Amino acid sequence: MTDTSMGHIIDGFGYAKGLRERLAVKVAELKATQGITPCLVVVIVGEDPASQIYVKNKGESTIAVGMDSRTITLPDTTTEADLLKLIAELNADAAVNGILVQLPLPKHMSSLKVIDAIDPLKDVDGFHVENAGKLAVGLDGIVPCTPLGSLMLLKDAVKTYGGGSLAGMNAVIVGRSNIVGKPMAQLLLNQDCTVTIAHSKTKNLKELCLTADILVAAVGRPKFIAGDWVKDGAYVIDVGINRIEVDGPDGKKSKVVGDVDFDAAKPHAKAITPVPRGVGPMTIACLLNNTLHAACLQHGLPAPEGL
Ligand code: GUN
């Protein structure tokens, strides 16, 4: 029976947990049948506190699904040439299946140049131009983690609450980054959505958002999307992770909110991701998915299906 009620909360935390469990089974199978343990290397340059937390979580999650994890920490005085040399060594190391260089990099480095030095088969972020190009022309490659996780949640929500596919739906993506907005647009186009990318120069943004059956917010501004920008019955995917100060009983405290005003948008939405526990946990789960995928491709094995 089709569920016609509104305001369902999309449980990204639960979905990510299930995905990590399914990945752990596939990793154990790969080990038992082929003697291969996928290995992810994360490189962090400098001491950005948020990046340090992300990198620690990535390492712990990698170990938890049975993969090998290495973290390489470099000082922010590292030269671009030294980082490129390290990447060349990791590219040549057959025991390394995935390489992730944590962004942002210090200002004296070109992140485009660094990312493009990674072997595209080991580029588990899916940021290399070869992987971006493959996504654009509909070839199999490695897909960026946050858009991939967002699509998984969206497909599951539409199946659960709408009963159908995404084909023909109007999707509006607010944000045009290489990491989220642009790959998300390609993924939704590949699902036969009609896709619009909005950005800081877009005119009549509220009116545009109100046309969206699928609204993806990836602007990095707290509660930027107001409740009355959401069309009744829309699916809302909030990619934002913004730390703000709010008044607490003992003074100011910090809180994480998304790019959407969740409480105001929820009554309009058919289903909406919360922040935290929405898209965020999917990013790491998809990184593990991409590492397993990369390890299989490097050994000439088919990528695991049915995850
Ligand atoms: N910094 C914030 N998000 C990401 C990500 O998805 N990949 C990398 N490499 N750095 C990030």
Side-chain angles (χ1 to χ4, degrees):
M1 204 175 71
T2 306
D3 184 343
T4 53
S5 58
M6 304 282 271
H8 296 281
I9 296 177
I10 299 173
D11 177 16
F13 183 84
Y15 193 102
K17 183 167 176 284
L19 176 56
R20 289 197 312 270
E21 287 165 2
R22 295 190 292 280
L23 285 166
V25 172
K26 299 276 184 193
V27 171
E29 273 172 21
L30 190 66
K31 233 184 260 192
T33 60
Q34 309 286 336
I36 298 166
T37 303
C39 172
L40 171 64
V41 177
V42 176
V43 181
I44 175 169
V45 187
E47 292 178 2
D48 177 64
S51 291
Q52 285 174 327
I53 295 171
Y54 288 135
V55 167
K56 185 165 173 279
N57 286 342
K58 284 170 186 171
E60 288 170 359
S61 307
T62 307
I63 302 279
V65 293
M67 298 188 195
D68 287 340
S69 160
R70 271 170 64 195
T71 301
I72 300 177
T73 306
L74 301 173
D76 63 7
T77 50
T78 305
T79 64
E80 189 181 87
D82 281 343
L83 180 57
L84 294 174
K85 187 164 165 274
L86 171 67
I87 291 171
E89 284 162 15
L90 296 172
N91 284 342
D93 185 343
V96 173
N97 303 113
I99 304 168
L100 181 147
V101 178
Q102 185 67 24
L103 302 176
L105 284 167
K107 292 206 166 36
H108 63 277
M109 293 188 188
S110 154
S111 41
L112 272 181
K113 198 167 163 190
V114 168
I115 288 163
D116 277 345
I118 299 172
D119 179 343
L121 280 177
K122 297 189 178 185
D123 165 41
V124 284
D125 262 326
F127 294 167
H128 191 285
V129 284
E130 188 172 314
N131 284 314
K134 282 184 167 172
L135 181 61
V137 297
L139 287 174
D140 280 343
I142 301 182
V143 177
C145 306
T146 302
L148 179 61
S150 298
L151 181 67
M152 287 180 185
L153 293 182
L154 185 60
K155 282 170 92 169
D156 189 59
V158 171
K159 197 168 129 207
T160 307
Y161 304 119
S165 77
L166 274 57
M169 291 173 94
N170 281 336
V172 173
I173 299 160
V174 189
R176 57 173 156 181
S177 70
N178 291 339
I179 294 179
V180 182
K182 287 179 201 164
M184 191 74 216
Q186 302 289 357
L187 284 172
L188 291 173
L189 205 50
N190 292 345
Q191 296 291 318
D192 297 325
C193 292
T194 302
V195 181
T196 308
I197 306 185
H199 47 76
S200 54
K201 304 277 192 306
T202 298
K203 297 200 172 93
N204 304 323
L205 185 57
K206 174 181 174 182
E207 285 68 31
L208 180 65
C209 289
L210 278 166
T211 67
D213 304 313
I214 295 167
L215 182 59
V216 180
V219 269
R221 290 171 64 177
K223 301 192 186 186
F224 180 73
I225 307 284
D228 63 358
W229 295 22
V230 175
K231 179 166 114 170
D232 284 343
Y235 292 85
V236 180
I237 302 291
D238 189 351
V239 177
I241 302 177
N242 308 291
R243 197 162 277 285
I244 60 165
E245 296 278 307
V246 291
D247 290 325
D250 310 315
K252 295 267 183 221
K253 63 176 184 128
S254 114
K255 184 183 172 200
V256 172
V257 298
D259 290 351
V260 178
D261 184 343
F262 179 83
D263 292 333
K266 184 172 168 283
H268 295 283
K270 167 64 82 180
I272 180 169
T273 57
V275 178
R277 297 171 77 92
V279 172
M282 290 300 289
T283 298
I284 291 192
C286 287
L287 172 65
L288 306 174
N289 174 82
N290 285 355
T291 304
L292 174 62
H293 187 124
C296 290
L297 293 183
Q298 286 157 35
H299 286 91
L301 300 167
E305 283 181 34
L307 289 164

